[in-house]
Amino acid sequence: MPSHAIQYTRAHRERYLDELKQLVSIPSISAQPAHKADIQRAAQWLVDHLTSIGMDRARAWPTSGQPIVTAEWLRAGDGKPTILIYGHYDVQPADPIDLWHSDPFTPEIRGDDLFGRGASDDKGQIFAHIKAVESFLKTASALPVNLKFIIEGEEEVGGPSLDPFIEAHQADLAADVALISDSHMLRPDLPAIAYGLRGLSYIQVEVTGPATDLHSGSFGGAVYNPIQALAEMIASLKDRDGRITVPGFYDKVRPIDADERAGLANVPFNEDQFKREAGVDRTWGEKGYSVLEQITARPTLELNGIWGGYQGEGSKTVLPSKAYAKISCRLVADQDHHEISQLLQEHLKRIAPPQVRVETQTLHGGHGILIDRDTPAMQAAASALEKAFGNKPVFIREGGSIPVVASLKHMLGIDTVLVGLGLSDDNLHAPNEKFHLPNFYRGIEASIHFMSLIGDEQ
Ligand SMILES: [Zn+2]
């Protein structure tokens, strides 16, 4: 059965590409209210398209923000597993337009790449799975698994509609595993499966010294300056070895075991390129860990901003009343973001000199994720990618977050298989975004193999 679907895919590449160009030509920019109608149009285009390839109950659900598109095909029966495929049809704004070599919403093929806003993030990637489904339904009139799509329109703005929607439709969205392609591979011939995502804990600190700004000539020397107090506090948050000093911070961190270390050491990571991209001569981080481990598998604490006192032109001899900082931590599996926020805030209050007052607030939080690499779904994804791309995928951890993965875990109780089809030079969120077309075609085939392997297991 997969071989027929694969043949069909290869015979219809041109049409598949034409259809992707239609989708990319809709400027569904979620950040700009002027594109509200385009967002609606993209959602409706998907509903019509999913219906036309044979998916059942395709519809666009209104939300307080942008519509959420769902569709399903459940005719494989109760004995077969159910896959939930997530993607997003909204795109980033195209500005600055004058840096584009072709119109962002008139998709253009140059070489092996399709240029257009959203081509890679995420229209091309989600469309690969849609075409895999079509290739099955047009040849076997059936899928080897039960399958559901959820495609949202607020990913690029971190919109609030998705979580309540998942919460309210738990039964409709129930599945055995989720599949997401909204990230990138390491090289065109080297696929990757991400199994770790970091969480986030983000707080703001306000340090108050004197009740009002004071003249430093009259008061300086005898009043604790809140900027100095804040500087001392934050300077003490890490030791010389780059370890975070907040008591309890590492208590729940799941250690990197030897097996995983060996796996990460095999990921082709170029430290010189990393330094070039960062614009630094030397790296600095937690002692005892490689740079790749530091940026993906270990928790961090970073100062995102610090301000206070006089910052205008020239001089003003003020002894300020207040000083502020924004501090965030990237978290790894098993660290609870509520708990870390609280530990950090309590610690800052505890270490403050008694002459100042400290107030803190939590700004944002999310849990880290670590997915078992040995589950049948992960192994099926690994062999599906190997069949389609000719090389075994490497397992990687992402340093950032994909919040929907935690939502699916917590609300539906399912793990996600993260198979990126983009490339790191796809210019996501930048001018001249592109999608590498061999990844599109191989992505369709990988998706076909994945569904077939998962379906065969039971
Ligand atoms: Zn995306």
Side-chain angles (χ1 to χ4, degrees), residues 88 90 120-122 125 155-156 181-183 428-429:
H88 64 91
D90 64 321
S120 178
D121 180 16
D122 178 43
Q125 297 196 52
E155 197 274 346
E156 300 294 3
S181 294
D182 190 15
S183 52
L428 307 189
H429 302 197

Side-chain angles (χ1 to χ4, degrees), residues 37-52:
D38 295 315
I39 280 272
Q40 298 282 345
R41 196 147 61 85
Q44 193 54 47
W45 189 95
L46 281 168
V47 168
D48 294 342
H49 194 78
L50 289 163
T51 305
S52 77

Side-chain angles (χ1 to χ4, degrees), residues 161-179:
S161 304
L162 185 68
D163 276 0
F165 182 87
I166 296 174
E167 181 92 60
H169 295 86
Q170 288 183 24
D172 290 330
L173 297 170
D176 297 292
V177 68
L179 175 63

Side-chain angles (χ1 to χ4, degrees), residues 58-297:
R59 61 172 290 190
W61 303 76
T63 69
S64 58
Q66 318 298 2
I68 291 174
V69 174
T70 61
E72 64 185 32
W73 193 93
L74 304 177
R75 295 185 241 168
D78 287 346
K80 293 290 182 185
T82 302
I83 302 176
L84 175 66
I85 300 180
Y86 162 91
H88 64 91
Y89 65 81
D90 64 321
V91 301
Q92 283 277 316
D95 337 49
I97 306 260
D98 51 335
L99 295 183
W100 283 76
H101 301 308
S102 56
D103 182 85
F105 297 106
T106 309
E108 189 174 294
I109 295 165
R110 298 198 292 275
D112 272 342
D113 298 314
L114 176 69
F115 286 83
R117 172 57 86 228
S120 178
D121 180 16
D122 178 43
K123 288 174 172 173
Q125 297 196 52
I126 184 68
F127 204 60
H129 297 297
I130 295 175
K131 293 292 98 175
V133 167
E134 173 179 339
S135 299
F136 271 121
L137 291 178
K138 290 285 158 69
T139 50
S141 304
L143 296 176
V145 288
N146 299 303
L147 192 130
K148 299 173 180 181
F149 279 110
I150 176 165
I151 309 173
E152 68 155 318
E154 294 179 9
E155 197 274 346
E156 300 294 3
V157 289
S161 304
L162 185 68
D163 276 0
F165 182 87
I166 296 174
E167 181 92 60
H169 295 86
Q170 288 183 24
D172 290 330
L173 297 170
D176 297 292
V177 68
L179 175 63
I180 300 182
S181 294
D182 190 15
S183 52
H184 58 76
M185 324 192 348
L186 295 178
R187 291 194 310 254
D189 58 345
L190 187 58
I193 297 176
Y195 66 96
L197 298 167
R198 288 198 289 190
L200 186 71
S201 152
Y202 201 130
I203 68 154
Q204 181 167 321
V205 194
E206 176 184 326
V207 178
T208 307
T212 56
D213 284 0
L214 302 174
H215 190 300
S216 72
S218 316
F219 295 90
V223 174
Y224 217 128
N225 185 316
I227 297 179
Q228 175 168 341
L230 177 62
E232 288 164 357
M233 289 155 62
I234 59 185
S236 75
L237 293 177
K238 280 185 196 169
D239 68 17
R240 294 262 163 219
D241 289 334
R243 273 184 72 86
I244 295 150
T245 58
V246 179
F249 183 85
Y250 291 102
D251 281 3
K252 292 190 175 160
V253 169
R254 212 185 300 177
I256 314 173
D257 64 32
D259 184 43
E260 188 181 2
R261 270 216 139 144
L264 289 173
N266 271 329
V267 174
F269 175 75
N270 185 331
E271 215 169 300
D272 289 327
Q273 189 186 333
F274 174 83
K275 284 190 275 196
R276 263 200 312 280
E277 282 172 14
V280 300
D281 295 330
R282 292 179 189 196
T283 61
W284 184 78
E286 189 184 3
K287 217 177 186 168
Y289 295 92
S290 71
V291 171
L292 184 62
E293 288 170 346
Q294 288 167 351
I295 62 172
T296 62

Side-chain angles (χ1 to χ4, degrees), residues 394-439:
V394 285
F395 284 87
I396 56 169
R397 285 193 187 219
E398 298 275 357
S401 317
I402 303 182
V404 66
V405 175
S407 302
L408 295 174
K409 181 74 183 171
H410 293 125
M411 289 186 260
L412 302 181
I414 57 174
D415 281 335
T416 296
V417 176
L418 288 160
V419 173
L421 299 174
L423 292 174
S424 59
D425 65 353
D426 274 352
N427 299 320
L428 307 189
H429 302 197
N432 304 304
E433 179 177 347
K434 55 114 176 128
F435 190 34
H436 191 55
L437 290 172
N439 283 19

